Amino acid sequence: MRHPEYAISAGRPAPLGATFDGDGVNFAVFSQHATAMEVCLFSADGKAELQRLRLPERDGEVWYGYVSGLRPGQYYGLRAHGPYRPDEGHRFNPNKLLLDPYAKRLTGMPVWHDALMGYEIGSNAHDLSFDTRDSAPYMPRCVVEDPTFSWGYDHPPQTPIADTVIYEAHVKGLTQLHPKVAPEGTFLGIATDTMLDYFDKLGITAIELLPVQAFLTDRFLHDKNLNNYWGYQTLGFFAPDPRYLSESKISEFQQMVARLHHAGIEVILDVVYNHTCEGNELGPTLSFRGLDNRSYYRLIQDRRYYINDTGTGNTLNLDHPMVLRMVMDSLRYWVEVMHVDGFRFDLCSTLGRTDYGFDPGASFFDAIRQDPVLTQVKLIAEPWDVGPGGYRLGGFPPPFHEWNDRFRDGVRRFWRGDPGRAPDLAGRITGSATEFDHSGRPATASVNLITAHDGFTLHDTVSYNGKHNEANGEDNRDGHSENYSDNFGWEGPADNPDIVAARNLRKRAMIATLMLSQGTPMLLAGDELGNTQNGNNNAYAQDNETSWIDWDTADMDLMAFTAKLIRFRLGHPILRQKVFLHSRERRIDGREDLFWWRPDGKPMATPDWVNPALKIVCVEMRTASGTPLYAATESAIFIVFNAGDDMKVRLPTPPKGQRWTWSINSAEPDADPAPVRRNEVTSAAQSVSVFVLEPF
């Protein structure tokens, strides 16, 4: 078959990437240090390289050209010419086919082969050597795309952060084993009526997806017949991962978003802009390294080597304006073209690093905070990395929210019965003010979690004392060693009905604590169903039944109780206040907004708080003094967190014309709300009870 010969002419330096204008395609590629840039065109099946077109123009650091007659669906790649001087930070090798950082779609993943390396494997010179093999046979192709989508009347829900309940999920793991979902394990699978009905019954308002930008399976995993399941090795920041597309159409992602929006559910993406999948100096040359290694990556003084604040081998250089531009362009693309509603930034401390350490005024944060598009969506930081001084919980500027691991650990330790944990729980359920109540930040800045993809599931937290990661092939050395878990005397699955009952009681108490606390709750998908990973607390490489949610064994009673808690939370504004509760006087009735009570009805005093044997926390919450009057739709809520034995609890004396209603009892999850006839009740062991002050 004869293929057309294309000519390249003058084009435009913006936008970057491959842009179809109706008549042809404009190519624009950033490289500060290249000496020439080529676009390689491939046949319709991607196998034959048909032409190499040298980009004819350069405007500063951008190479560009226009090819008339090219259409969407055209396969292409890049080759960059320039110096190969790793000791100076340059690793150009035109024998390596490179992916366009702005590619909107990829045909697949690289096939591991030594030709993917820019240097000769086994050479005595190591990465200083130069490999002349063509990597094209082992590389996927970029695809020219027209991302236009008929959105119709799509309206992002724009759920206020105070009303948000986040559901962290994996695209494949959420639906792969669902018997009524097809195509399972895909974006379209999430958008089926079956899943939308489930989300509605559960009551979540936002789904936070683990990385969906195209990612690589590391060679060491491939050699062990494992896969990168989680996706934290980004290959392309604009392209949906092809493994989640059932028909290789990026519109499948857009269709998922549209259907979720119609159901009132926001879409938040877990994004990884702190590093790429190319690793350290011994990693492959797939894109960024070959286009301009010295610009894209942070290098040490000896420019042969990489700064590794991420623990993955490299760190993106967001101090370079064109690298920062790529990140900002990517974020805006996912908002404006793909209609997502927010982002969770992996290892966000890295994005704020400068030559002098972490800086909340770093260029990345300043760029985000002035952006008229990105300031309209939800922004969540994972507030740590593995570099020096990388733990920055509470240190991010508004409007960022932050994952709160201290909430996770505090809640687990309290319910496990660790001595002296009651004061910490008190701080966590009132928004972790020690970390977040500064710089005008709201209580919702704390994203509260008891589990996440990284670590034990909730069921495993009450079933295992130690991690069981042998299947990862690292001799159980990987993953957290301190999980603050409790197996109730039996490691793993148990048949003893007393152990099963105790574990279920603990799970309900922990979910209740999550949903009743000030802040923004995040639930790990499957926790509400009793999902297990069999004790694996680092299932990043387990693309199998270990990580996929098992819908056939789902605990629907636990799901129903979780849904009940979410409905209760969303129905009671006192639990969703943005203003921190600090025992301040309310404007409404002159009473304070927060009271701590002893079980005997007396106010808590310092000796009570410092008692290491204290295992019960009784709190009365009211509308905060800084909350608008229109939000004061209820008087008070009284909550008992009892990690000890059965205990008599005296409720505060209600005002005339009002009484307490026992609305939630985690020990009796099916109980209907009932008025309290006497002001003394029995709080069951290992339970959470909620009482609402109501008129009668």
Side-chain angles (χ1 to χ4, degrees), residues 366-385:
D366 287 348
I368 289 277
R369 296 176 72 191
Q370 64 77 43
D371 191 281
V373 172
L374 299 179
T375 49
Q376 301 303 308
V377 301
K378 293 178 171 64
L379 305 171
I380 303 170
E382 182 183 43
W384 51 77
D385 64 19

Side-chain angles (χ1 to χ4, degrees), residues 20 25 42-46 70-76 105 107 141-146:
F20 175 67
V25 176
F42 290 86
S43 59
D45 60 6
L70 277 190
R71 313 292 297 175
Q74 175 65 53
Y75 289 3
Y76 74 100
R105 180 163 72 87
T107 59
R141 313 301 183 222
C142 304
V143 186
V144 175
E145 284 282 349
D146 179 359

Side-chain angles (χ1 to χ4, degrees), residues 42 46-47 49 79 95-99 107-117 131-141 216 219 235 284-286:
F42 290 86
K47 295 180 180 180
E49 184 174 340
R79 295 185 190 270
N95 300 294
K96 308 305 169 184
L97 186 71
L98 306 174
L99 299 178
T107 59
M109 291 295 110
V111 176
W112 277 110
H113 189 276
D114 288 352
L116 296 178
M117 306 299 176
D131 187 88
T132 60
R133 286 173 292 183
D134 186 3
S135 68
Y138 312 102
M139 285 292 291
R141 313 301 183 222
L216 179 73
R219 190 166 195 173
L235 182 62
T285 296
L286 308 173

Side-chain angles (χ1 to χ4, degrees), residues 4 63 100 128 135 174 194 226 258 287 350 376 399 402 445 471 473 538 548 621 663 685:
W63 304 78
D100 177 3
L128 297 178
S135 68
L174 182 61
T194 296
L226 295 172
S287 179
T350 298
Q376 301 303 308
E402 301 176 35
N538 189 34
W548 304 337
M621 298 179 181
S663 299

Side-chain angles (χ1 to χ4, degrees), residues 410-470:
V411 170
R412 290 187 183 191
R413 296 188 68 183
F414 174 81
W415 287 109
R416 191 173 69 169
D418 291 7
R421 301 310 302 176
D424 181 73
L425 183 79
R428 301 304 160 203
I429 63 177
T430 50
S432 297
T434 300
E435 288 79 16
F436 293 103
D437 191 9
H438 61 82
S439 308
R441 302 186 74 184
T444 49
S446 174
V447 176
N448 299 331
L449 61 146
I450 47 177
T451 58
H453 68 274
D454 185 4
F456 277 154
T457 66
L458 178 61
H459 182 81
D460 289 355
T461 300
V462 301
S463 303
Y464 295 90
N465 280 351
K467 61 185 180 179
H468 295 270
N469 299 351
E470 292 80 7

Side-chain angles (χ1 to χ4, degrees), residues 2 28 92 129 155 275 338 389 427 433 453 457 483 491 558 570 625 636:
R2 184 171 181 176
F92 293 98
S129 62
H155 295 289
H275 74 281
M338 309 300 261
H453 68 274
T457 66
N483 298 284
E491 191 77 351
L558 182 59
L570 296 179
S625 58

Side-chain angles (χ1 to χ4, degrees), residues 367-564:
I368 289 277
R369 296 176 72 191
Q370 64 77 43
D371 191 281
V373 172
L374 299 179
T375 49
Q376 301 303 308
V377 301
K378 293 178 171 64
L379 305 171
I380 303 170
E382 182 183 43
W384 51 77
D385 64 19
V386 300
Y391 187 80
R392 312 299 303 189
L393 181 67
F396 288 75
F400 279 83
H401 311 277
E402 301 176 35
W403 271 26
N404 189 348
D405 62 322
R406 290 183 178 169
F407 181 95
R408 175 198 66 199
D409 295 346
V411 170
R412 290 187 183 191
R413 296 188 68 183
F414 174 81
W415 287 109
R416 191 173 69 169
D418 291 7
R421 301 310 302 176
D424 181 73
L425 183 79
R428 301 304 160 203
I429 63 177
T430 50
S432 297
T434 300
E435 288 79 16
F436 293 103
D437 191 9
H438 61 82
S439 308
R441 302 186 74 184
T444 49
S446 174
V447 176
N448 299 331
L449 61 146
I450 47 177
T451 58
H453 68 274
D454 185 4
F456 277 154
T457 66
L458 178 61
H459 182 81
D460 289 355
T461 300
V462 301
S463 303
Y464 295 90
N465 280 351
K467 61 185 180 179
H468 295 270
N469 299 351
E470 292 80 7
N472 296 350
E474 300 179 42
D475 297 324
N476 207 34
R477 294 189 304 269
D478 61 304
H480 301 295
S481 294
E482 182 50 82
N483 298 284
Y484 303 117
S485 57
D486 179 12
N487 68 6
F488 289 85
W490 185 268
E491 191 77 351
D495 295 326
N496 185 307
D498 292 337
I499 293 178
V500 172
R503 289 175 175 177
N504 289 338
L505 189 62
R506 177 75 58 82
K507 285 189 286 188
R508 292 196 298 270
M510 293 175 73
I511 293 177
T513 306
L514 175 67
M515 294 300 168
L516 298 170
S517 295
Q518 304 291 335
T520 305
M522 186 187 84
L523 179 71
L524 174 63
D527 274 357
E528 79 281 11
L529 301 169
N531 195 58
T532 179
Q533 292 179 170
N534 302 311
N536 192 321
N537 75 350
N538 189 34
Y540 75 102
Q542 299 302 316
D543 187 4
N544 50 50
E545 289 82 355
T546 298
S547 296
W548 304 337
I549 293 176
D550 186 354
W551 291 90
D552 287 337
T553 61
D555 184 347
M556 299 310 294
D557 290 335
L558 182 59
M559 182 274 181
F561 182 66
T562 304
K564 179 179 180 179

